[in-house]
Amino acid sequence: MLIWSLRIWFLLVFVVQTTVVTQAMLHESLFQIPPVVSSDVWFIATVYDAYFAIIAFALWVCARERTWVSRVVWFLLIVVWGNVTMALYMLILLFRLPTTATAEDVFLKRGEPHV
Protein backbone atom coordinates (compact mmCIF):
# COMPACT_ATOMS: atom_id res chain seq x y z
CA MET A 1 0.00 0.00 0.00
CA LEU A 2 2.85 2.40 0.85
CA ILE A 3 4.59 1.96 -2.50
CA TRP A 4 1.38 2.45 -4.50
CA SER A 5 0.44 5.52 -2.44
CA LEU A 6 3.87 7.05 -3.03
CA ARG A 7 3.76 6.19 -6.73
CA ILE A 8 0.40 7.94 -7.07
CA TRP A 9 1.58 10.95 -5.05
CA PHE A 10 4.79 11.47 -7.02
CA LEU A 11 3.02 10.89 -10.34
CA LEU A 12 0.54 13.60 -9.36
CA VAL A 13 3.38 15.94 -8.35
CA PHE A 14 5.22 15.25 -11.61
CA VAL A 15 2.17 15.87 -13.82
CA VAL A 16 0.96 18.97 -11.96
CA GLN A 17 4.40 20.57 -11.63
CA THR A 18 5.28 19.87 -15.25
CA THR A 19 1.96 21.39 -16.37
CA VAL A 20 2.28 24.46 -14.14
CA VAL A 21 5.91 25.11 -15.10
CA THR A 22 5.15 24.65 -18.81
CA GLN A 23 2.20 27.06 -18.62
CA ALA A 24 4.30 29.59 -16.72
CA MET A 25 7.16 29.33 -19.24
CA LEU A 26 4.75 29.86 -22.15
CA HIS A 27 3.16 32.84 -20.42
CA GLU A 28 6.12 34.75 -19.02
CA SER A 29 9.89 34.47 -18.70
CA LEU A 30 11.22 33.76 -15.23
CA PHE A 31 13.38 36.85 -15.62
CA GLN A 32 10.34 39.07 -16.22
CA ILE A 33 8.81 38.67 -12.77
CA PRO A 34 7.60 42.13 -11.79
CA PRO A 35 9.76 43.84 -9.13
CA VAL A 36 6.71 44.22 -6.89
CA VAL A 37 6.60 40.41 -6.71
CA SER A 38 10.32 39.55 -6.69
CA SER A 39 11.06 42.09 -3.94
CA ASP A 40 8.17 41.01 -1.72
CA VAL A 41 9.44 39.58 1.59
CA TRP A 42 7.08 36.59 1.40
CA PHE A 43 8.21 35.79 -2.15
CA ILE A 44 11.83 35.88 -0.99
CA ALA A 45 11.06 33.77 2.09
CA THR A 46 9.21 31.21 -0.04
CA VAL A 47 12.09 30.95 -2.53
CA TYR A 48 14.59 30.39 0.31
CA ASP A 49 12.27 27.84 1.92
CA ALA A 50 11.83 25.97 -1.35
CA TYR A 51 15.54 25.88 -2.15
CA PHE A 52 16.53 24.73 1.34
CA ALA A 53 14.12 21.80 0.88
CA ILE A 54 15.31 21.16 -2.68
CA ILE A 55 18.96 21.11 -1.62
CA ALA A 56 18.16 18.82 1.34
CA PHE A 57 16.45 16.37 -1.04
CA ALA A 58 19.35 16.64 -3.52
CA LEU A 59 21.82 15.80 -0.74
CA TRP A 60 19.71 12.76 0.22
CA VAL A 61 19.83 11.66 -3.44
CA CYS A 62 23.61 12.11 -3.43
CA ALA A 63 23.83 9.86 -0.37
CA ARG A 64 21.78 7.18 -2.17
CA GLU A 65 23.62 7.28 -5.47
CA ARG A 66 26.75 5.20 -5.97
CA THR A 67 28.83 7.18 -8.45
CA TRP A 68 30.03 10.77 -8.44
CA VAL A 69 28.71 11.26 -11.96
CA SER A 70 25.16 10.27 -11.02
CA ARG A 71 25.40 12.35 -7.83
CA VAL A 72 26.45 15.48 -9.73
CA VAL A 73 23.92 14.97 -12.54
CA TRP A 74 20.99 14.37 -10.19
CA PHE A 75 22.05 17.24 -7.90
CA LEU A 76 22.16 19.70 -10.80
CA LEU A 77 18.89 18.49 -12.30
CA ILE A 78 17.13 18.74 -8.94
CA VAL A 79 18.47 22.23 -8.21
CA VAL A 80 17.52 23.49 -11.68
CA TRP A 81 14.15 21.74 -12.15
CA GLY A 82 13.06 21.33 -8.52
CA ASN A 83 9.97 19.26 -7.84
CA VAL A 84 9.70 18.00 -11.41
CA THR A 85 13.06 16.23 -11.09
CA MET A 86 12.42 15.23 -7.49
CA ALA A 87 9.18 13.51 -8.50
CA LEU A 88 10.90 11.85 -11.48
CA TYR A 89 13.68 10.52 -9.24
CA MET A 90 11.14 9.10 -6.79
CA LEU A 91 9.04 7.55 -9.56
CA ILE A 92 12.09 5.78 -10.99
CA LEU A 93 13.00 4.55 -7.51
CA LEU A 94 9.47 3.51 -6.59
CA PHE A 95 8.82 1.62 -9.82
CA ARG A 96 12.06 -0.33 -9.33
CA LEU A 97 10.91 -1.49 -5.90
CA PRO A 98 8.43 -4.29 -5.34
CA THR A 99 5.02 -3.26 -4.06
CA THR A 100 5.89 -5.05 -0.81
CA ALA A 101 8.82 -2.70 -0.10
CA THR A 102 8.94 -0.90 3.21
CA ALA A 103 9.59 2.74 4.08
CA GLU A 104 13.14 1.70 4.99
CA ASP A 105 13.62 0.32 1.48
CA VAL A 106 12.52 3.65 0.03
CA PHE A 107 14.16 6.16 2.32
CA LEU A 108 17.05 4.57 4.19
CA LYS A 109 18.78 2.00 2.04
CA ARG A 110 21.69 3.08 -0.09
CA GLY A 111 21.88 -0.19 -1.97
CA GLU A 112 19.75 -1.51 -4.77
CA PRO A 113 17.81 -0.29 -6.52
CA HIS A 114 19.58 2.99 -7.13
CA VAL A 115 18.32 5.31 -9.82
Side-chain angles (χ1 to χ4, degrees), residues 1 4-5 10 13 16 22 29 32 40 51 53 63 70 77 86:
M1 182 68 167
W4 275 108
S5 299
F10 284 107
V13 171
V16 170
T22 301
S29 168
Q32 293 177 331
D40 184 83
Y51 269 92
S70 64
L77 288 172
M86 292 163 64

Side-chain angles (χ1 to χ4, degrees), residues 60-61 64-65 74 85-93 115:
W60 173 76
V61 168
R64 276 191 71 84
E65 290 301 308
W74 279 112
T85 307
M86 292 163 64
L88 179 63
Y89 183 89
M90 290 303 297
L91 286 169
I92 292 168
L93 172 66
V115 178

